[in-house]
Amino acid sequence: MTLPRALSKLGYCSRTQAEALIVAGRVTVDGRLISDPAIWVDLEHSKFAVDGIEISAEKKLYFMLNKPRGLVTTRDDPEGRPTVYDCLREIDARHLAPVGRLDKASEGLLLFTNNTVLAQALLDPVSHVGKAYHVQVDRIMDLEQLARMERGIVDDGELLTASSVRLLRSGDRNSWIEVELKEGRNRQIRRMLEALGIECLRLVRVAFGDIALGDLPKGGVRALTEAEILSLHRRAGMKVNR
């Protein structure tokens, strides 16, 4: 693999950051200074150093956050808006990255890890890892509307489909539905509802694969259990490499 990718897999930095370090002449491989980011290396057998300090595989970390509404899923926001990293101040989140995103108006389960390989595998449509959402809408949805979301709705040239949709509960003027997606597009659920003339009032992700949000309080963060970590690796078709 390329040297920037190797440094990323070791959990040292992102690929973009690695490229900058390499071009600046700060990275050595087996004692040899490397200035070309395109060079290929052997991750398993080579020794890597930055500024003369050897680096090795970082311990893999896995956390979940109950994202509050109003936070953007990014580390730094040019507009100065609050971000999900504001909730991670009590842990060392320098190398943690979110597994996917939730838009500013959405809430619920957001996973973080420094295991970039697992994160990419979980987000790959080939792995078919489902994500469940509870969605409040501005009316009582009928069976045909629910079925249309499963059959697929074309929006802006994209076919958007949900793997399953069901009515959870309803009141006099609105209702809650559960939607499962196995591959998510940008604002997918909101766009599907808008295409049906339905307003989304709240959108909460309640599960990622077998990992459930449970009773984690809003803005709360916790480490994943060993069983949850194993479940994610199984879903991604990977072995646990701690």
Side-chain angles (χ1 to χ4, degrees), residues 154-220:
V154 176
D155 178 69
D156 197 23
E158 283 187 296
L159 178 62
L160 308 175
T161 61
S163 54
S164 69
V165 186
R166 68 185 182 95
L167 183 67
L168 287 175
R169 59 185 181 275
S170 58
D172 295 331
R173 298 182 179 179
N174 56 60
S175 59
W176 283 86
I177 61 173
E178 182 177 76
V179 182
E180 183 179 10
L181 303 179
K182 289 193 174 176
E183 57 174 310
R185 310 288 178 85
N186 182 40
R187 299 183 67 252
Q188 178 167 338
I189 295 175
R190 296 181 189 277
R191 290 166 59 193
M192 295 173 77
L193 291 170
E194 288 168 4
L196 294 173
I198 298 171
E199 182 181 356
C200 174
L201 303 178
R202 285 186 68 190
L203 190 153
V204 185
R205 183 192 282 165
V206 296
F208 191 118
D210 298 324
I211 312 300
L213 180 62
D215 58 2
L216 186 66
K218 193 69 62 67

Side-chain angles (χ1 to χ4, degrees), residues 9 19 38 40 44 46 62 70 75 81 104 115-116 121 128 136 160-162 205 208 227 237:
K9 289 192 70 171
E19 289 174 359
W40 281 62
E44 298 296 327
S46 293
Y62 308 86
R75 186 177 295 275
R81 296 173 296 181
K104 181 183 175 184
N115 188 336
T116 58
H128 298 296
Q136 185 184 33
L160 308 175
T161 61
R205 183 192 282 165
F208 191 118

Side-chain angles (χ1 to χ4, degrees), residues 19-74:
E19 289 174 359
L21 290 172
I22 296 164
V23 171
R26 298 172 57 186
V27 180
T28 60
V29 179
D30 295 327
R32 183 166 59 97
L33 184 66
I34 302 297
S35 58
D36 181 6
I39 192 171
W40 281 62
V41 296
D42 184 340
L43 178 63
E44 298 296 327
H45 300 100
S46 293
K47 291 184 178 180
F48 306 90
V50 176
D51 295 333
I53 301 174
E54 187 172 334
I55 60 176
S56 57
E58 189 176 48
K59 180 182 178 182
K60 298 298 184 285
L61 302 173
Y62 308 86
F63 291 88
M64 72 157 65
L65 163 69
N66 185 350
K67 175 190 175 296
R69 188 171 185 167
L71 303 184
V72 292
T73 307
T74 184

